[in-house]
């Protein structure tokens, strides 16, 4: 990654520099959002939209009938559209039960899937117990999701390995942090919101050690404050990072910060007292696929959180987010947006992995399936996956005093080299707009990475 990709040639850098300037002119294209579908896929897509429309109109009986038709044309083992329909039918079934209090929605049989999916509420499909309120069912579903946190963490490692999206985000954010920290800086502190397994940081450690060796400056002291919801996972992450830092001769400290309550208000009120900042430290704040979780039906709590981050006076704030609007208040709009976004994701997995890839099944069933279930079935405060497009993040960051920091031509060359070496498919593309990198599949942007000060 960041360390291993530094061997790109000077000529390549000049080409990427030209590419960077050419695409940032006044006629720079916006990230394309359309997806291409075959005729059969278009038919299934329209059936899904029709089903969502029926649910929006509270015509639950007709929606149930259409779900039966969709179920017959879906499979977790089929092509990308069949697998996509499989996930969306499960989510539509849950939403139907939440809103119609009916037991007649029959899910696709998932007993033969070789990887564990987050369990659905027992009321769906087969339970003889009565269904409580919609809030009870969604709370039950969310608790089941939380109980499978270990499988989610394992699935995250598969996602990081078989798709470029996480590695692209980490690589680009790391390069922005490295360039924001002056050569010779003796103390660096990174606050990483939802650090997971910490896979982002070994390449940055390697780059810091390499830079120290090449400039004859002593290696800096690196402190990472990593947030999460499981203290044991945080401790294991810190232990792994410490061992890697020691192998490089880097001084290193890890501080786990358990987020007991994911409320933005709670975070904002307790953040200053939870984090120790030392004098002469260069502070970086890393928000990779995190900020959208702080959104509710309005942005007030997110704004409070950003104001507290701004008050910490970081050298750099890195932001990576999905390029999709899954936070629209209207269900049908949110549904269509999610369907097209995940259709592109499933297409990319089909094009780059063998047909019976166990890792692909894990990622689609557990990781993306959980997100689809949340976007489609949840409402109100129960809905967590509130992705927004870059325009939203640009607006809210600028309005709270942050300035966009341009990503460098070298960061662009590294991103393209990552795709070329590890994900050699013509379908992946990196585009630059408004000093921000967009990674997409075919003609649809899927992820954005930007840096701010």
């Amino acid at each position: 990654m960041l360390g291993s990709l530094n061997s790109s040639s000077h000529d390549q850098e000049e080409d990427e520099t030209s590419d960077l300037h050419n695409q940032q002119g006044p006629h720079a294209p916006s990230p394309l959002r359309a997806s291409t579908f075959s005729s059969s896929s278009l038919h299934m897509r329209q059936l899904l939209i029709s089903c969502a429309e029926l649910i929006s109109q509270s015509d639950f009986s007709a929606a149930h009938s259409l779900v039966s038709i969709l179920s017959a044309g879906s499979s977790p083992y089929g092509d990308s559209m069949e697998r996509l329909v499989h996930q969306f039918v499960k989510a539509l079934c849950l939403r139907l039960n939440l809103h119609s209090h009916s037991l007649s929605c029959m899910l696709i049989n998932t007993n033969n899937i070789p990887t564990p999916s987050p369990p659905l509420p027992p009321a769906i499909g087969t339970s003889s117990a009565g269904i409580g309120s919609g809030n009870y069912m969604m709370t039950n579903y969310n608790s089941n999701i939380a109980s499978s946190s270990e499988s989610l963490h394992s699935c995250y490692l598969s996602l990081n390995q078989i798709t470029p999206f996480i590695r692209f985000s980490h690589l680009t954010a790391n390069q922005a942090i490295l360039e924001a920290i002056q050569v010779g800086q003796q103390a660096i502190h990174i606050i990483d919101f939802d650090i997971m397994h910490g896979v982002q940081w070994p390449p940055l450690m390697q780059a810091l050690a390499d830079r120290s060796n090449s400039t004859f400056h002593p290696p800096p002291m690196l402190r990472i404050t990593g947030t999460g919801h499981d203290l044991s996972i945080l401790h294991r992450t810190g232990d792994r990072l410490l061992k890697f830092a020691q192998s490089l001769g880097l001084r290193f400290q890890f501080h786990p910060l358990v987020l007991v309550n994911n409320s933005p208000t709670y975070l904002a009120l307790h953040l200053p007292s939870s984090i120790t900042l030392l004098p002469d430290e260069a502070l970086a704040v890393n928000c990779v696929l995190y900020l959208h979780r702080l959104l509710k039906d309005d942005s007030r709590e997110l704004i409070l959180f950003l104001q507290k981050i701004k008050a910490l006076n970081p050298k750099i704030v890195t932001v990576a987010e999905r390029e999709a609007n899954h936070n629209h208040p209207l269900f049908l709009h949110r549904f269509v947006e999610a369907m097209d976004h995940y259709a592109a994701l499933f297409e990319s997995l089909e094009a780059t992995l063998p047909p019976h890839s166990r890792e692909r099944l894990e990622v689609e069933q557990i990781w993306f399936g959980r997100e689809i279930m949340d976007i489609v079935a949840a409402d109100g405060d129960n809905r967590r996956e509130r992705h927004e497009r870059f325009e939203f993040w640009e607006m809210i960051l600028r309005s709270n005093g942050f300035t966009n920091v341009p990503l460098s031509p070298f960061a662009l060359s590294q991103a393209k080299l990552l795709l070329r070496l590890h994900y050699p498919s013509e379908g992946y593309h990196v585009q630059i707009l408004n000093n921000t990198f967009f990674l997409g599949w075919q003609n649809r942007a899927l992820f954005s990475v930007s840096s701010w000060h």
Side-chain angles (χ1 to χ4, degrees):
M1 292 174 66
L2 191 143
S4 63
L5 296 180
N6 283 343
S7 59
S8 55
S9 68
H10 177 70
D11 290 340
Q12 182 186 4
E13 280 190 66
E14 290 181 347
D15 292 341
E16 307 299 358
T17 304
S18 175
D19 189 9
L20 184 68
H21 290 306
N22 289 339
Q23 294 195 51
Q24 287 183 312
H27 304 291
S30 61
L32 297 175
R33 294 171 185 166
S35 289
T36 57
F37 298 94
S38 66
S39 58
S40 60
S41 296
L42 282 170
H43 177 64
M44 297 301 289
R45 178 180 185 274
Q46 188 54 53
L47 286 179
L48 281 170
I49 294 174
S50 297
C51 187
E53 287 176 335
L54 290 170
I55 294 174
S56 296
Q57 298 161 6
S58 299
D59 191 347
F60 301 122
S61 176
H64 276 299
S65 298
L66 198 48
V67 160
S68 298
I69 297 172
L70 286 163
S71 297
S74 69
S75 167
Y77 308 104
D79 62 24
S80 62
M81 180 53 73
E82 290 171 334
R83 301 194 313 274
L84 182 80
V85 173
H86 174 79
Q87 294 301 324
F88 273 85
V89 165
K90 289 199 296 183
L92 285 169
C93 282
L94 178 56
R95 186 172 184 90
L96 274 170
N97 281 315
L98 291 171
H99 288 269
S100 68
H101 292 187
S102 168
L103 291 174
S104 61
C105 182
M106 300 302 294
L107 285 179
I108 301 169
N109 184 0
T110 60
N111 291 335
N112 295 324
I113 296 173
T115 54
S117 343
L120 296 177
I124 297 181
T126 57
S127 173
S128 59
I131 300 178
S133 69
N135 283 340
Y136 171 80
M137 286 186 66
M138 203 63 214
T139 300
N140 186 30
Y141 170 72
N142 286 337
S143 67
N144 286 328
I145 291 291
S147 68
S148 61
S149 62
E150 285 290 345
S151 65
L152 282 176
H153 277 263
S154 173
C155 189
Y156 175 82
L157 294 177
S158 295
L159 179 69
N160 181 63
Q161 187 64 33
I162 68 176
T163 73
F165 306 116
I166 303 296
R167 295 176 76 181
F168 165 81
S169 301
H170 288 171
L171 179 72
T172 306
N174 281 355
Q175 189 62 34
I177 293 171
L178 186 66
E179 293 172 4
I181 305 299
Q182 293 182 351
V183 175
Q185 175 72 43
Q186 287 302 294
I188 302 169
H189 187 179
I190 298 171
I191 304 173
D192 185 9
F193 285 96
D194 202 7
I195 192 170
M196 300 290 282
H197 291 275
V199 296
Q200 177 172 352
W201 303 119
L204 180 64
M205 291 178 179
Q206 183 71 62
L208 289 170
D210 291 345
R211 187 167 75 170
S212 175
N213 293 333
S214 64
T215 58
F216 303 105
H217 285 90
M221 169 68 189
L222 176 62
R223 293 203 304 141
I224 294 180
T225 296
T227 76
H229 300 277
D230 188 316
L231 185 59
S232 64
I233 291 176
L234 286 173
H235 279 312
R236 292 199 297 270
T237 295
D239 291 343
R240 284 192 301 270
L241 292 175
L242 176 60
K243 289 178 182 177
F244 187 80
Q246 289 172 338
S247 73
L248 299 173
L250 284 179
R251 294 170 294 153
F252 178 77
Q253 291 180 1
F254 181 78
H255 304 279
L257 180 58
V258 177
L259 300 181
V260 179
N261 186 333
N262 205 38
S263 161
T265 301
Y266 181 92
L267 280 175
L269 293 176
H270 292 82
L271 191 62
S273 60
S274 301
I275 296 175
T276 302
L277 300 179
L278 301 179
D280 301 324
E281 274 187 333
L283 177 65
V285 176
N286 189 62
C287 298
V288 170
L289 306 179
Y290 181 76
L291 290 181
H292 70 272
R293 302 183 202 172
L294 306 184
L295 284 169
K296 297 296 181 184
D297 289 333
D298 59 47
S299 303
R300 288 178 296 177
E301 292 184 326
L302 173 64
I303 289 171
L304 178 60
F305 174 81
L306 290 175
Q307 289 172 347
K308 294 295 184 180
I309 293 295
K310 179 69 176 174
L312 297 176
N313 194 29
K315 289 277 188 182
I316 193 80
V317 176
T318 49
V319 175
E321 284 292 339
R322 295 287 186 86
E323 186 60 11
N325 181 5
H326 298 151
N327 194 35
H328 198 280
L330 297 180
F331 164 68
L332 186 59
H333 188 289
R334 196 164 70 241
F335 181 88
V336 173
E337 179 83 4
M339 186 174 55
D340 290 343
H341 178 80
Y342 287 98
L345 286 172
F346 278 45
E347 287 170 12
S348 72
L349 288 172
E350 179 166 275
T352 54
L353 290 167
H356 303 293
S357 167
R358 181 183 179 89
E359 290 78 12
R360 187 185 72 188
L361 278 172
E362 279 187 337
V363 168
E364 290 178 350
Q365 295 288 320
I366 299 177
W367 194 271
F368 292 146
R370 172 186 59 92
E371 294 178 347
I372 291 168
M373 192 72 73
D374 182 273
I375 294 166
V376 172
D379 278 319
D381 287 346
N382 286 319
R383 187 155 50 84
R384 302 173 181 178
E385 301 297 335
R386 296 172 174 264
H387 307 124
E388 290 275 7
R389 295 192 184 279
F390 173 73
E391 300 96 287
F392 171 84
W393 300 113
E394 181 181 38
M395 177 273 296
I396 202 163
L397 285 160
R398 289 189 186 279
S399 64
N400 283 279
F402 291 91
T403 302
N404 187 219
V405 178
L407 297 166
S408 71
F410 185 70
L412 176 64
S413 81
Q414 286 200 120
K416 291 192 172 183
L417 189 59
L418 170 71
L419 297 179
R420 194 151 52 240
L421 292 179
H422 299 285
Y423 306 94
S425 171
E426 294 181 358
Y428 289 117
H429 296 287
V430 179
Q431 187 179 28
I432 309 105
L433 184 67
N434 296 337
N435 299 319
T436 298
F437 289 2
F438 295 87
L439 175 60
W441 174 256
Q442 301 295 359
N443 57 355
R444 186 179 185 90
L446 296 173
F447 286 74
S448 69
V449 185
S450 57
S451 61
W452 302 83
H453 174 68

